[in-house]
PDB file of all heavy atoms in Angstrom:
ATOM      1  N   ILE V 270     -17.207  53.837 -30.199  1.00 84.00           N
ATOM      2  CA  ILE V 270     -17.496  53.080 -28.974  1.00 84.00           C
ATOM      3  C   ILE V 270     -17.046  53.869 -27.739  1.00 84.00           C
ATOM      4  O   ILE V 270     -17.749  53.905 -26.727  1.00 84.00           O
ATOM      5  CB  ILE V 270     -16.884  51.660 -28.996  1.00 84.00           C
ATOM      6  CG1 ILE V 270     -17.509  50.838 -27.857  1.00 84.00           C
ATOM      7  CG2 ILE V 270     -15.406  51.623 -28.856  1.00 84.00           C
ATOM      8  CD1 ILE V 270     -17.184  49.397 -27.847  1.00 84.00           C
ATOM      9  N   VAL V 271     -15.900  54.538 -27.826  1.00 84.00           N
ATOM     10  CA  VAL V 271     -15.434  55.322 -26.671  1.00 84.00           C
ATOM     11  C   VAL V 271     -16.411  56.468 -26.395  1.00 84.00           C
ATOM     12  O   VAL V 271     -16.832  56.690 -25.254  1.00 84.00           O
ATOM     13  CB  VAL V 271     -13.996  55.858 -26.910  1.00 84.00           C
ATOM     14  CG1 VAL V 271     -13.567  56.795 -25.793  1.00 84.00           C
ATOM     15  CG2 VAL V 271     -13.016  54.701 -26.998  1.00 84.00           C
ATOM     16  N   ASP V 272     -16.797  57.175 -27.452  1.00 85.00           N
ATOM     17  CA  ASP V 272     -17.755  58.276 -27.280  1.00 85.00           C
ATOM     18  C   ASP V 272     -19.066  57.760 -26.697  1.00 85.00           C
ATOM     19  O   ASP V 272     -19.654  58.366 -25.804  1.00 85.00           O
ATOM     20  CB  ASP V 272     -18.027  58.984 -28.623  1.00 85.00           C
ATOM     21  CG  ASP V 272     -16.796  59.725 -29.129  1.00 85.00           C
ATOM     22  OD1 ASP V 272     -15.885  59.944 -28.311  1.00 85.00           O
ATOM     23  OD2 ASP V 272     -16.744  60.058 -30.325  1.00 85.00           O
ATOM     24  N   ALA V 273     -19.538  56.616 -27.210  1.00 85.00           N
ATOM     25  CA  ALA V 273     -20.810  56.058 -26.751  1.00 85.00           C
ATOM     26  C   ALA V 273     -20.736  55.631 -25.287  1.00 85.00           C
ATOM     27  O   ALA V 273     -21.687  55.830 -24.529  1.00 85.00           O
ATOM     28  CB  ALA V 273     -21.204  54.874 -27.624  1.00 85.00           C
ATOM     29  N   VAL V 274     -19.591  55.053 -24.884  1.00 79.00           N
ATOM     30  CA  VAL V 274     -19.423  54.631 -23.485  1.00 79.00           C
ATOM     31  C   VAL V 274     -19.512  55.851 -22.572  1.00 79.00           C
ATOM     32  O   VAL V 274     -20.205  55.845 -21.558  1.00 79.00           O
ATOM     33  CB  VAL V 274     -18.072  53.892 -23.306  1.00 79.00           C
ATOM     34  CG1 VAL V 274     -17.633  53.900 -21.852  1.00 79.00           C
ATOM     35  CG2 VAL V 274     -18.193  52.455 -23.778  1.00 79.00           C
ATOM     36  N   PHE V 275     -18.825  56.928 -22.961  1.00 79.00           N
ATOM     37  CA  PHE V 275     -18.831  58.126 -22.111  1.00 79.00           C
ATOM     38  C   PHE V 275     -20.185  58.845 -22.120  1.00 79.00           C
ATOM     39  O   PHE V 275     -20.549  59.504 -21.164  1.00 79.00           O
ATOM     40  CB  PHE V 275     -17.702  59.080 -22.515  1.00 79.00           C
ATOM     41  CG  PHE V 275     -16.375  58.618 -22.000  1.00 79.00           C
ATOM     42  CD1 PHE V 275     -15.426  58.080 -22.846  1.00 79.00           C
ATOM     43  CD2 PHE V 275     -16.080  58.680 -20.647  1.00 79.00           C
ATOM     44  CE1 PHE V 275     -14.205  57.621 -22.366  1.00 79.00           C
ATOM     45  CE2 PHE V 275     -14.867  58.225 -20.151  1.00 79.00           C
ATOM     46  CZ  PHE V 275     -13.929  57.701 -21.015  1.00 79.00           C
ATOM     47  N   ASN V 276     -20.941  58.703 -23.228  1.00 79.00           N
ATOM     48  CA  ASN V 276     -22.261  59.346 -23.314  1.00 79.00           C
ATOM     49  C   ASN V 276     -23.380  58.434 -22.813  1.00 79.00           C
ATOM     50  O   ASN V 276     -24.542  58.787 -22.911  1.00 79.00           O
ATOM     51  CB  ASN V 276     -22.570  59.742 -24.768  1.00 79.00           C
ATOM     52  CG  ASN V 276     -21.667  60.855 -25.233  1.00 79.00           C
ATOM     53  OD1 ASN V 276     -21.236  61.676 -24.437  1.00 79.00           O
ATOM     54  ND2 ASN V 276     -21.366  60.872 -26.517  1.00 79.00           N
ATOM     55  N   ARG V 277     -23.032  57.256 -22.358  1.00 75.00           N
ATOM     56  CA  ARG V 277     -24.006  56.223 -21.935  1.00 75.00           C
ATOM     57  C   ARG V 277     -25.025  55.955 -23.045  1.00 75.00           C
ATOM     58  O   ARG V 277     -26.213  55.848 -22.789  1.00 75.00           O
ATOM     59  CB  ARG V 277     -24.730  56.648 -20.663  1.00 75.00           C
ATOM     60  CG  ARG V 277     -23.825  56.734 -19.490  1.00 75.00           C
ATOM     61  CD  ARG V 277     -24.608  56.775 -18.214  1.00 75.00           C
ATOM     62  NE  ARG V 277     -23.785  57.316 -17.148  1.00 75.00           N
ATOM     63  CZ  ARG V 277     -23.841  58.555 -16.740  1.00 75.00           C
ATOM     64  NH1 ARG V 277     -24.707  59.387 -17.261  1.00 75.00           N
ATOM     65  NH2 ARG V 277     -23.056  58.968 -15.780  1.00 75.00           N
ATOM     66  N   ASP V 278     -24.546  55.914 -24.260  1.00 79.00           N
ATOM     67  CA  ASP V 278     -25.428  55.650 -25.396  1.00 79.00           C
ATOM     68  C   ASP V 278     -25.515  54.133 -25.583  1.00 79.00           C
ATOM     69  O   ASP V 278     -24.817  53.535 -26.407  1.00 79.00           O
ATOM     70  CB  ASP V 278     -24.853  56.340 -26.650  1.00 79.00           C
ATOM     71  CG  ASP V 278     -25.911  56.562 -27.701  1.00 79.00           C
ATOM     72  OD1 ASP V 278     -26.953  55.874 -27.627  1.00 79.00           O
ATOM     73  OD2 ASP V 278     -25.703  57.410 -28.584  1.00 79.00           O
ATOM     74  N   TYR V 279     -26.408  53.507 -24.789  1.00 75.00           N
ATOM     75  CA  TYR V 279     -26.489  52.047 -24.719  1.00 75.00           C
ATOM     76  C   TYR V 279     -26.579  51.386 -26.086  1.00 75.00           C
ATOM     77  O   TYR V 279     -25.865  50.438 -26.389  1.00 75.00           O
ATOM     78  CB  TYR V 279     -27.732  51.612 -23.926  1.00 75.00           C
ATOM     79  CG  TYR V 279     -27.746  51.999 -22.486  1.00 75.00           C
ATOM     80  CD1 TYR V 279     -28.914  51.848 -21.735  1.00 75.00           C
ATOM     81  CD2 TYR V 279     -26.618  52.501 -21.855  1.00 75.00           C
ATOM     82  CE1 TYR V 279     -28.951  52.190 -20.394  1.00 75.00           C
ATOM     83  CE2 TYR V 279     -26.647  52.851 -20.514  1.00 75.00           C
ATOM     84  CZ  TYR V 279     -27.825  52.702 -19.784  1.00 75.00           C
ATOM     85  OH  TYR V 279     -27.872  53.031 -18.480  1.00 75.00           O
ATOM     86  N   ALA V 280     -27.521  51.866 -26.887  1.00 80.00           N
ATOM     87  CA  ALA V 280     -27.806  51.202 -28.155  1.00 80.00           C
ATOM     88  C   ALA V 280     -26.567  51.145 -29.046  1.00 80.00           C
ATOM     89  O   ALA V 280     -26.293  50.119 -29.686  1.00 80.00           O
ATOM     90  CB  ALA V 280     -28.931  51.940 -28.867  1.00 80.00           C
TER      91      ALA V 280
END
Side-chain angles (χ1 to χ4, degrees):
Chain V
I270 193 172
V271 174
D272 293 343
V274 159
F275 282 107
N276 292 330
R277 294 196 200 99
D278 201 340
Y279 296 169

